[in-house]
């Protein structure tokens, strides 16, 4: 695994800027947000999907084909796929009247017409069933569930926010979960990661589990177990803390963490500091002086690289 560094960005609130590439119906869409508005394009004109947000951190996740966009200040939303049938003709043909003397089949002019789905993406909708007036740090798709970390729910004690993990009811592909309140009739639930003082800061899939990170370096593993418990939270490892979701990138089954102490690789069992030989101390100095904030890290699997941007 090698690293490629982006140039430092100046005078920019990087934690509010993020983007995501999403593919639907064989078309690639790019989403860009500054925390106040969300825009999308498929290579032509840009479409504004929402505005009036309050400038918080925005994260993206894909739930069984549906794009979910979470704003730390304005709650979770999703991109609806409104499908309508058109009457567009993409192929026609005709055959002259003829009689088959052997099969005794009579052919007439038969235009062959086909229609296809016309998909429009023009708005964002609030995630259904989400807690009233609540927000969260990050939402991640895990199996048939959505999992929210750092949930700030006015109906609960404010002191729970740094530790509260909630998961939705299960939902099939092509839809989004519709319930978050735990009921006997659904699989929604919640738990607390409060046995260490650090706040929840990031969540990322690793194989069959969801790894959850805290600012104090504690790593947890959330696992679907079914039954009445549904999910089980296990304290997994004490490593190096990450500041927020953008500081974790996944590549080739490993998690790469950009921390104030350097760059770490975590395989689910142990965490190793990446060794950059002669420039090791320079790298540490970069992130220790990055104005208290690392912007984001992302994987470039084709080149086996992790790209990291930071603010000076």
């Amino acid at each position: 695994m090698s690293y490629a560094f982006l140039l430092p960005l100046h005078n920019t609130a990087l934690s509010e800027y993020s983007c995501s590439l999403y593919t639907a119906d064989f078309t690639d869409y790019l989403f860009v947000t500054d925390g106040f508005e969300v825009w999308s394009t498929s290579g032509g004109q840009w479409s504004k999907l929402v505005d009036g947000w309050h400038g918080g951190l925005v994260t993206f996740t894909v739930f069984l084909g549906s794009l979910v966009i979470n704003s730390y200040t304005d709650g979770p939303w999703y991109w609806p796929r409104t499908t309508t049938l058109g009457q567009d003709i993409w192929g026609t043909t005709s055959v002259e009247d003829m009689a088959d003397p052997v099969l005794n089949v009579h052919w007439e002019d038969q235009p062959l017409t086909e229609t296809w789905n016309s998909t429009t993406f023009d708005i964002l909708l609030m995630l259904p069933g989400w807690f009233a007036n609540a927000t969260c740090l990050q939402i991640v798709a895990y199996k048939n569930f959505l999992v929210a970390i750092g949930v700030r729910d006015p109906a609960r004690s404010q002191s729970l926010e740094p530790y509260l993990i909630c998961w939705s009811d299960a939902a099939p592909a092509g839809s989004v979960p519709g319930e978050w309140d735990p009921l006997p009739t659904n699989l929604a639930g919640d738990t607390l990661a409060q046995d260490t003082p650090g706040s929840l800061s990031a969540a990322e899939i690793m194989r069959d589990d969801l790894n959850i990170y805290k600012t104090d370096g504690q790593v947890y593993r959330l696992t679907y177990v079914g039954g009445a418990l549904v999910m089980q939270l296990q304290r997994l490892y004490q490593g190096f803390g990450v500041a927020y979701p953008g500081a974790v990138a996944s590549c080739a089954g490993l998690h790469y963490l950009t921390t104030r102490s350097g760059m770490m690789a975590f395989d689910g069992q142990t965490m190793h500091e990446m060794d950059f030989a002669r420039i090791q101390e320079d790298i540490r100095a970069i992130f220790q002086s990055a104005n208290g904030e690392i912007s984001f890290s992302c994987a470039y699997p084709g080149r086996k690289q992790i790209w990291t941007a930071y603010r000076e």
Side-chain angles (χ1 to χ4, degrees):
M1 178 64 63
S2 59
Y3 276 85
F5 290 93
L6 303 182
L7 291 175
L9 305 180
H10 304 277
N11 301 320
T12 306
L14 282 172
S15 63
E16 298 173 359
Y17 284 81
S18 57
C19 62
S20 179
L21 185 65
Y22 172 72
T23 301
D25 299 330
F26 305 103
T27 301
D28 293 329
Y29 294 85
L30 177 65
F31 291 80
V32 176
T33 178
D34 62 354
F36 296 92
E37 300 175 342
V38 179
W39 293 77
S40 68
T41 183
S42 59
Q45 295 182 343
W46 286 88
S47 299
K48 182 165 65 174
L49 303 181
V50 72
D51 59 15
W53 284 2
H54 296 85
L57 173 71
V58 177
T59 57
F60 300 84
T61 190
V62 177
F63 176 80
L64 300 178
S66 298
L67 181 66
V68 177
I69 305 175
N70 180 67
S71 165
Y72 180 57
T73 55
D74 294 86
W77 303 62
Y78 75 102
W79 199 33
R81 296 174 59 178
T82 305
T83 305
T84 59
L85 290 177
Q87 296 299 320
D88 304 295
I89 297 174
W90 60 269
T92 61
T93 188
S94 64
V95 182
E96 293 181 355
D97 288 351
M98 59 174 292
D100 189 310
V102 178
L103 300 178
N104 195 28
V105 175
H106 182 70
W107 298 85
E108 297 180 353
D109 284 354
Q110 297 291 341
L112 303 180
T113 64
E114 296 289 342
T115 64
W116 62 80
N117 292 340
S118 175
T119 305
T120 59
F121 304 82
D122 53 5
I123 57 173
L124 294 182
L125 298 178
M126 288 292 294
L127 199 63
W130 178 248
F131 312 114
N133 301 314
T135 61
C136 67
L137 177 66
Q138 183 186 10
I139 285 186
V140 180
Y142 173 54
K143 296 187 178 294
N144 286 52
F145 303 85
L146 287 172
V147 178
I149 67 168
V151 178
R152 179 170 51 190
D153 184 358
R156 315 184 200 209
S157 170
Q158 186 177 359
S159 64
L160 296 180
E161 177 189 347
Y163 317 111
L164 182 58
I165 303 168
C166 299
W167 61 87
S168 69
D169 189 16
S175 64
V176 292
E179 295 182 348
W180 284 82
D181 288 307
L183 299 170
T185 56
N186 66 32
L187 298 176
D190 54 53
T191 188
L192 293 169
Q194 60 181 354
D195 50 346
T196 66
S199 300
L200 297 167
S201 58
E204 187 75 31
I205 298 292
M206 177 175 281
R207 295 183 283 276
D208 204 41
D209 304 308
L210 180 65
N211 280 10
I212 298 176
Y213 297 88
K214 297 181 75 174
T215 55
D216 62 2
Q218 185 61 54
V219 184
Y220 293 82
R221 179 168 59 200
L222 187 71
T223 305
Y224 172 74
V225 295
L229 192 60
V230 186
M231 302 278 187
Q232 183 178 53
L233 185 68
Q234 178 185 1
R235 187 172 170 178
L236 185 62
Y237 190 84
Q238 178 64 53
F240 296 85
V242 296
Y244 77 107
V248 179
S250 179
C251 187
L254 302 179
H255 288 176
Y256 293 88
L257 283 58
T258 305
T259 78
R260 300 282 292 165
S261 300
M263 296 184 173
M264 311 295 166
F266 184 55
D267 62 5
Q269 299 295 327
T270 57
M271 192 175 293
H272 303 281
E273 184 175 6
M274 304 297 293
D275 186 1
F276 294 93
R278 291 178 298 174
I279 63 170
Q280 186 78 2
E281 293 304 318
D282 294 332
I283 290 176
R284 286 179 181 167
I286 286 174
F287 293 109
Q288 287 173 0
S289 62
N291 204 21
E293 183 177 353
I294 303 298
S295 65
F296 61 86
S297 295
C298 62
Y300 191 166
R303 294 189 176 182
K304 296 184 178 180
Q305 293 177 342
I306 301 295
W307 288 65
T308 301
Y310 64 95
R311 182 175 67 181
E312 284 191 325

